[in-house]
Structure formats: structure tokens, C-alpha cells
Amino acid sequence: MEQLIDQIKTHLAEVEAFQSSDPGEIERFRIKFLAKKGILTGLFAAFKDVPSDLKKTFGQQLNALKVAATNKLEESKKASVSKVKESTFSIDFTRPGQLIELGALHPISILRNQVIDIFSQIGFSLSAGQEIEDDWHNFTALNLPKHHPARDMQDTFFVQTNPDILLRTHTSSVQVRHMEANHPPIRTLSPGRVFRNEDISARSHCVFHQVEGLYIDKNVSFADLKQTLLYFTKSMFGKSKIRFRPSYFPFTEPSAEVDIYWGLETEADYRITKRTGWLEIMGCGMVDPQVLTNCNINSDEYSGYAFGMGLERMAMILYGIEDIRMFYENDIRFLQQFSSMG
Ligand code: PHE
């Protein structure tokens, strides 16, 4: 009997010494003393075997332990709740927030959007094609039949071993698809990524971006082409002097390269125009009647012009970028320089 009383005293000391605001520890305390299988339940079960003359003392001790444990539990729970509150309210609402870094458009996207805006003001709509093309849309329909020497100019990536499936070498393929699916009048702009199997260097890359345009209607003439491109160079570069140099593309006849007169005012002008004042910016020409026929358009009734430009080249000139690889390396220090433009 003495032993039982001693046990209660030890437990009571433990209960009184317990101090915690940790929810896990509090729960362990509850389970140890007050749960169904806890210490108190065990002691109350022992109560019936206690000789009746000692029942009173034992009962008092036992009750004291129960009250102490219950009170301790309540106290500890309150302490734990107020600790949570305390930690919530310790947030400093006046502390400045962390800055969110704003993203920015890639310089190529900025230029592409500018070109699109300028042409959309004179009625050009957008057409998007596919990057993986077939031979017909990239070559044959554009007057580049199999074994035509001009195919070499294009340095094509073929998809696996199938010579009919390739990565488009220009977005003229989009225009072929557009002509096949629509009746004139057609006025469409096709921006997109193109691929050529070329060594990567500061000046050329195997992936780059073009914007090509196509206009087909009755009585479209070279004069229309000239005026449209003059409007474009004025809007895009603020330059109003351009010239057309005879050139060759299999899908246009006649064909020309367009140069803008950049001027020779600054040292940079000398460098980028190779001391001539003139800058080549795009290829163009009147759509070859055979191309119209290939796309089911009556070439006796309709004529048209086409033009195409490379965005990387234009961006390099405009922003003084010396190395085309900068566009694809995603060096944040390079890209951030354009963050205010887009
Ligand atoms: N498709 C030509 C190229 O990729 C560009 C071009 C388009 C030239 C339309 C003339 C007319 O180089």
C-alpha cells in the first residue's frame, strides 16, 4: 500500500514539473496521465483492492493527482494557443515586400511585333504554318524542283532519312499553304522560325527568324511593291531612300534585293554599311506565274509580289549586336538591355 502512495507522489511531482507549450508534448502528457489507458485509469482500478481504512487517504491523494493533471493539461493548452497567436502577430507588416522581377520580350519578338504592326496597318493579316514541312511546300511549289541548283542555297535539315520531310528553310512555305487554302485577294504576313544547315558563327546560325509577306490581287505591279516597301522602311527605320538591286530567287521574277540608304554620319554608319551608306535589308520580287499556277491561282487573272527579311540581321544592325549567337544564349545581362523596349 505504501508503494502505491509513493507512486502517486512521484506522478504528482512529474505532473507539477511538466511545462510545455508544444502541442505534441502536451498530447503525450494527456495520453500518459489522462487517456483511457493512462496512469490515472490504472490507479483508479487499483482503488478497489485498497483496504477500507486506507481508502480515504488513498482516494484523496488520487483525486489530487487527477485534479493536478487536468489543470496542467488545460493550462498547457492555453499556453500553446497563445504562443501560436504570438508568432502570428510577430509578422512585421511594415517591412517592404520582395520585388517581383518583371520579364521582358526577347529583342527578336520586339522587332517581329514592330514589323507586324507596320504591315497590319495596310491590311496584311498573319498566317502561321508549321516548322516541319514537306518538300512540296518548301521547295517544289516554289519553283525549286528536285536537283535544282538553288536548293543548295538553302542547306536543308532533313528529318531522319526521309528526303520528303524537312525543317522549313524559309517561311515562303507558309505562303504556299495560304495560297492553296485561300482565294485572292491575298495579303498575308508570315513571321516564323526557319532552319538552315549552316555552321554556327558570329554572322550566321542554323536557326533564325524571318518575316515574309505576300500580296496577290488583280493588276499588282512592281510599283505597288516599291511603294509598300518604302512605306515599311520609313515606318521601321525612319529612312526614306531605298533602292532595288536586281537579284535572283526561283519563286519571283523579276527579283530584287532592297537596300536602304542609312547615311554616313557616324562611325557606326561606316561600319555597318561597309563604308557605302547602303544597307541590304530584304529580298523581294513579283511572284513567278508558275508559283501561282502551282497553288491553283489563275496567273492570267492575278499577279502578286512577295518579300522576305531576316529579323536577326535587322536586330544586329539596329542595336549594334556583333554576334548572332547572343540571341539564343539567353544571357540575362544581354536580354535585360531590351527590357524597356517591349
Ligand atoms: N524566301 C527568301 C529567303 O528565304 C526570301 C524571299 C521571300 C525573297 C520572298 C523574295 C521574295 O531567302
Side-chain angles (χ1 to χ4, degrees):
M1 195 57 235
E2 288 286 299
Q3 229 183 337
L4 219 48
I5 300 277
D6 277 351
Q7 265 184 32
I8 294 177
K9 279 186 179 150
T10 320
H11 289 318
L12 190 61
E14 192 187 333
V15 165
E16 277 166 358
F18 178 79
Q19 202 167 14
S20 173
S21 55
D22 175 69
E25 275 179 34
I26 296 170
E27 179 60 6
R28 274 192 294 282
F29 174 88
R30 187 191 67 78
I31 291 169
K32 182 170 181 184
F33 291 100
L34 293 160
K36 257 195 189 150
K37 291 182 182 166
I39 287 170
L40 274 158
T41 315
L43 288 171
F44 274 109
F47 189 73
K48 60 179 186 314
D49 300 327
V50 172
S52 43
D53 56 330
L54 292 174
K55 269 201 158 89
K56 192 173 172 208
T57 333
F58 184 80
Q60 279 171 349
Q61 304 266 7
L62 197 54
N63 249 336
L65 177 63
K66 188 182 172 187
V67 170
T70 317
N71 286 347
K72 193 58 129 184
L73 181 69
E74 288 312 309
E75 257 171 49
S76 308
K77 278 186 180 167
K78 273 187 201 152
S80 118
V81 170
S82 68
K83 193 178 168 204
V84 171
K85 277 191 187 155
E86 206 176 278
S87 66
T88 315
F89 284 105
S90 72
I91 292 174
D92 176 2
F93 291 110
T94 63
R95 200 177 138 184
Q98 278 185 348
L99 286 183
I100 297 168
E101 290 232 21
L102 286 182
L105 286 181
H106 192 278
I108 296 297
S109 305
I110 297 172
L111 264 193
R112 181 199 56 206
N113 293 349
Q114 285 174 354
V115 176
I116 291 173
D117 278 352
I118 291 170
F119 282 104
S120 62
Q121 284 181 34
I122 50 170
F124 280 78
S125 59
L126 290 183
S127 47
Q130 51 210 55
E131 292 180 348
I132 300 177
E133 258 304 351
D134 54 34
D135 185 283
W136 169 258
H137 292 96
N138 195 77
F139 288 133
T140 308
L142 290 159
N143 268 355
L144 284 124
K146 293 238 152 65
H147 312 300
H148 191 288
R151 282 198 186 210
D152 289 349
M153 285 161 55
Q154 307 271 339
D155 280 329
T156 314
F157 282 116
F158 292 94
V159 174
Q160 293 185 337
T161 49
N162 187 344
D164 196 47
I165 308 293
L166 44 92
L167 297 183
R168 68 179 179 203
T169 62
H170 49 186
T171 57
S172 305
S173 55
V174 181
Q175 310 190 334
V176 173
R177 287 185 180 276
H178 194 80
M179 283 189 278
E180 285 174 343
N182 295 278
H183 290 295
I186 287 173
R187 222 178 304 179
T188 183
L189 206 62
S190 24
R193 188 158 59 157
V194 300
F195 307 84
R196 295 202 190 162
N197 193 353
E198 276 177 30
D199 288 340
I200 297 172
S201 70
R203 292 273 128 198
S204 67
H205 207 285
C206 57
V207 182
F208 58 100
H209 297 78
Q210 282 189 328
V211 180
E212 295 206 1
L214 174 75
Y215 177 35
I216 296 172
D217 205 344
K218 291 181 176 145
N219 302 318
V220 177
S221 72
F222 205 89
D224 297 318
L225 172 61
K226 280 172 112 172
Q227 283 308 310
T228 305
L229 295 184
L230 183 61
Y231 155 78
F232 169 71
T233 50
K234 273 186 187 168
S235 320
M236 185 81 195
F237 307 103
K239 308 277 181 184
S240 48
K241 196 160 137 189
I242 57 175
R243 72 179 179 195
F244 290 72
R245 269 184 300 111
S247 184
Y248 171 76
F249 298 103
F251 30 86
T252 46
E253 181 57 37
S255 306
E257 297 285 352
V258 182
D259 298 341
I260 28 181
Y261 188 68
W262 199 257
L264 282 173
E265 277 157 33
T266 67
E267 214 170 296
D269 293 346
Y270 277 88
R271 186 162 34 86
I272 62 176
T273 67
K274 297 191 187 112
R275 319 192 78 77
T276 64
W278 292 94
L279 209 56
E280 180 188 318
I281 51 153
M282 67 171 105
C284 67
M286 301 306 292
V287 181
D288 192 305
Q290 182 61 45
V291 172
L292 296 179
T293 309
N294 292 344
C295 300
N296 306 321
I297 291 173
N298 184 349
S299 60
D300 292 331
E301 203 179 342
Y302 293 103
S303 55
Y305 63 70
F307 55 87
M309 58 193 113
L311 290 179
E312 278 78 357
R313 199 186 125 67
M314 214 138 73
M316 287 170 83
I317 293 166
L318 281 176
Y319 307 137
I321 298 161
E322 304 275 334
D323 192 327
I324 194 170
R325 290 169 291 201
M326 303 286 264
F327 292 116
Y328 316 110
E329 281 165 0
N330 284 332
D331 183 333
I332 205 85
R333 292 165 302 178
F334 170 72
L335 297 175
Q336 266 168 353
Q337 298 176 82
F338 304 94
S339 59
S340 61
M341 300 182 63

Coordinates of all heavy atoms in Angstrom, one line a residue, residues 24-57:
G24 N 2.6 18.7 -29.4 CA 3.0 17.3 -29.4 C 3.3 16.8 -28.0 O 2.7 15.8 -27.6
E25 N 4.0 17.6 -27.3 CA 4.4 17.2 -25.9 C 3.1 17.2 -25.0 O 3.0 16.3 -24.2 CB 5.4 18.1 -25.3 CG 6.8 17.8 -25.7 CD 7.8 18.8 -25.1 OE1 7.6 19.3 -24.0 OE2 8.8 19.1 -25.8
I26 N 2.3 18.2 -25.2 CA 1.1 18.3 -24.4 C 0.2 17.0 -24.6 O -0.4 16.5 -23.7 CB 0.3 19.6 -24.7 CG1 1.2 20.8 -24.3 CG2 -1.0 19.6 -24.0 CD1 0.6 22.1 -24.8
E27 N 0.1 16.6 -25.9 CA -0.7 15.5 -26.2 C -0.1 14.2 -25.6 O -0.9 13.4 -25.0 CB -0.8 15.3 -27.8 CG -1.6 14.2 -28.3 CD -3.1 14.1 -27.8 OE1 -3.5 15.1 -27.2 OE2 -3.8 13.1 -28.1
R28 N 1.2 14.1 -25.6 CA 1.8 13.0 -25.0 C 1.5 12.9 -23.5 O 1.3 11.9 -22.9 CB 3.3 13.0 -25.2 CG 3.7 12.3 -26.6 CD 5.2 12.0 -26.7 NE 6.0 13.3 -26.8 CZ 6.1 14.0 -27.9 NH1 5.5 13.6 -29.0 NH2 6.8 15.1 -27.9
F29 N 1.5 14.1 -22.8 CA 1.2 14.3 -21.4 C -0.2 13.8 -21.1 O -0.5 13.0 -20.2 CB 1.4 15.7 -21.0 CG 0.9 16.1 -19.6 CD1 1.8 15.9 -18.5 CD2 -0.4 16.5 -19.3 CE1 1.4 16.2 -17.2 CE2 -0.8 16.8 -18.0 CZ 0.1 16.6 -17.0
R30 N -1.1 14.2 -22.0 CA -2.5 13.8 -21.8 C -2.7 12.3 -21.9 O -3.3 11.6 -21.1 CB -3.4 14.5 -22.9 CG -4.9 14.2 -22.7 CD -5.7 14.7 -23.9 NE -5.5 13.8 -25.1 CZ -6.0 12.6 -25.3 NH1 -6.9 12.1 -24.3 NH2 -5.7 11.9 -26.3
I31 N -2.0 11.7 -22.9 CA -2.1 10.3 -23.1 C -1.5 9.5 -21.9 O -2.1 8.6 -21.4 CB -1.4 9.8 -24.5 CG1 -2.2 10.4 -25.6 CG2 -1.3 8.3 -24.6 CD1 -1.5 10.3 -27.0
K32 N -0.4 10.0 -21.5 CA 0.2 9.3 -20.3 C -0.6 9.3 -19.1 O -0.8 8.3 -18.5 CB 1.6 10.0 -20.0 CG 2.4 9.3 -19.0 CD 3.8 9.9 -18.9 CE 4.6 9.2 -17.8 NZ 5.9 9.8 -17.6
F33 N -1.2 10.4 -18.8 CA -1.9 10.5 -17.5 C -3.4 10.4 -17.6 O -4.1 9.7 -16.8 CB -1.6 11.9 -16.8 CG -0.2 11.9 -16.3 CD1 0.8 12.6 -17.0 CD2 0.1 11.3 -15.1 CE1 2.1 12.7 -16.6 CE2 1.5 11.3 -14.6 CZ 2.4 12.0 -15.4
L34 N -4.0 10.9 -18.6 CA -5.5 11.1 -18.6 C -6.3 10.3 -19.6 O -7.5 10.3 -19.6 CB -5.9 12.6 -18.8 CG -5.4 13.5 -17.6 CD1 -5.3 14.9 -18.0 CD2 -6.4 13.3 -16.4
A35 N -5.5 9.6 -20.5 CA -6.3 8.8 -21.5 C -6.9 7.6 -20.9 O -6.6 7.3 -19.8 CB -5.3 8.5 -22.7
K36 N -7.7 6.9 -21.7 CA -8.4 5.7 -21.2 C -7.5 4.7 -20.6 O -7.8 4.0 -19.6 CB -9.2 5.1 -22.4 CG -10.7 5.4 -22.3 CD -11.5 4.5 -23.2 CE -12.9 5.0 -23.3 NZ -13.5 4.7 -24.6
K37 N -6.3 4.5 -21.2 CA -5.4 3.5 -20.7 C -4.2 4.2 -20.0 O -3.2 3.6 -19.8 CB -4.8 2.7 -21.9 CG -5.9 1.8 -22.5 CD -5.3 0.9 -23.6 CE -6.4 0.0 -24.2 NZ -6.0 -0.6 -25.4
G38 N -4.5 5.4 -19.5 CA -3.4 6.2 -18.9 C -3.2 5.8 -17.4 O -3.9 4.9 -16.8
I39 N -2.3 6.4 -16.8 CA -1.9 6.1 -15.4 C -3.1 6.3 -14.4 O -3.3 5.4 -13.6 CB -0.7 7.1 -15.0 CG1 0.5 6.6 -15.7 CG2 -0.6 7.1 -13.4 CD1 1.7 7.6 -15.5
L40 N -3.9 7.3 -14.6 CA -5.0 7.6 -13.6 C -6.0 6.4 -13.7 O -6.5 6.0 -12.7 CB -5.6 8.9 -13.9 CG -4.9 10.0 -13.1 CD1 -5.1 11.4 -13.8 CD2 -5.3 10.0 -11.7
T41 N -6.3 6.0 -14.9 CA -7.3 4.9 -15.0 C -6.7 3.6 -14.3 O -7.5 3.0 -13.6 CB -7.5 4.5 -16.5 OG1 -7.6 5.7 -17.2 CG2 -8.7 3.7 -16.7
G42 N -5.4 3.4 -14.5 CA -4.8 2.3 -13.8 C -4.9 2.4 -12.3 O -5.3 1.4 -11.6
L43 N -4.7 3.6 -11.7 CA -4.7 3.8 -10.3 C -6.1 3.7 -9.7 O -6.4 3.1 -8.7 CB -4.1 5.1 -9.9 CG -2.6 5.3 -10.1 CD1 -2.1 6.7 -10.0 CD2 -1.9 4.4 -9.1
F44 N -7.1 4.2 -10.5 CA -8.5 4.1 -10.1 C -8.9 2.6 -10.1 O -9.7 2.2 -9.2 CB -9.4 4.9 -11.0 CG -9.5 6.3 -10.5 CD1 -9.0 7.4 -11.3 CD2 -10.2 6.7 -9.3 CE1 -9.0 8.7 -10.8 CE2 -10.3 8.0 -8.9 CZ -9.7 9.0 -9.7
A45 N -8.4 1.8 -10.9 CA -8.7 0.4 -11.0 C -8.1 -0.3 -9.7 O -8.8 -1.2 -9.1 CB -8.1 -0.3 -12.2
A46 N -6.9 0.2 -9.3 CA -6.3 -0.4 -8.1 C -7.1 0.0 -6.8 O -6.9 -0.7 -5.8 CB -4.9 0.1 -8.0
F47 N -7.9 1.0 -6.9 CA -8.6 1.6 -5.8 C -9.5 0.5 -5.0 O -9.5 0.4 -3.8 CB -9.5 2.7 -6.2 CG -10.2 3.5 -5.1 CD1 -9.4 4.4 -4.4 CD2 -11.5 3.4 -4.8 CE1 -10.0 5.1 -3.3 CE2 -12.1 4.1 -3.8 CZ -11.3 5.0 -3.1
K48 N -10.1 -0.4 -5.8 CA -11.0 -1.4 -5.2 C -10.3 -2.4 -4.3 O -10.8 -3.0 -3.4 CB -11.8 -2.1 -6.3 CG -11.1 -2.9 -7.3 CD -12.1 -3.5 -8.2 CE -11.5 -4.5 -9.2 NZ -10.3 -4.1 -9.9
D49 N -9.0 -2.6 -4.5 CA -8.2 -3.5 -3.7 C -7.6 -2.9 -2.4 O -7.0 -3.5 -1.6 CB -7.1 -4.1 -4.5 CG -7.6 -4.9 -5.7 OD1 -8.7 -5.4 -5.6 OD2 -6.9 -4.9 -6.8
V50 N -7.8 -1.6 -2.3 CA -7.2 -0.9 -1.2 C -8.0 -1.2 0.1 O -9.3 -1.1 0.0 CB -7.2 0.6 -1.4 CG1 -6.8 1.4 -0.2 CG2 -6.2 0.9 -2.6
P51 N -7.4 -1.6 1.2 CA -8.1 -1.8 2.4 C -9.0 -0.6 2.8 O -8.5 0.5 2.7 CB -7.0 -2.1 3.5 CG -5.7 -2.2 2.7 CD -5.9 -1.7 1.3
S52 N -10.2 -0.9 3.4 CA -11.1 0.2 3.6 C -10.6 1.3 4.5 O -10.9 2.5 4.3 CB -12.5 -0.3 4.0 OG -12.3 -1.3 5.0
D53 N -9.8 1.0 5.5 CA -9.3 2.0 6.4 C -8.3 3.0 5.7 O -8.2 4.1 6.1 CB -8.6 1.4 7.6 CG -7.5 0.5 7.2 OD1 -7.5 -0.1 6.1 OD2 -6.5 0.4 8.0
L54 N -7.8 2.5 4.6 CA -6.8 3.4 3.8 C -7.5 4.1 2.7 O -6.9 5.0 2.0 CB -5.6 2.7 3.3 CG -4.7 2.2 4.4 CD1 -3.6 1.3 3.8 CD2 -4.0 3.4 5.1
K55 N -8.7 3.7 2.3 CA -9.4 4.2 1.1 C -9.5 5.7 1.1 O -9.3 6.4 0.1 CB -10.8 3.6 1.0 CG -10.8 2.3 0.2 CD -12.3 2.0 -0.3 CE -12.2 1.1 -1.5 NZ -12.3 -0.3 -1.2
K56 N -9.8 6.3 2.3 CA -9.9 7.7 2.4 C -8.7 8.5 1.9 O -8.7 9.3 1.0 CB -10.3 8.2 3.8 CG -10.8 9.6 3.9 CD -11.4 9.9 5.2 CE -11.7 11.4 5.3 NZ -11.5 12.0 6.6
T57 N -7.5 8.1 2.6 CA -6.3 8.8 2.3 C -5.9 8.6 0.8 O -5.6 9.5 0.1 CB -5.1 8.2 3.1 OG1 -5.6 7.6 4.3 CG2 -4.0 9.2 3.3

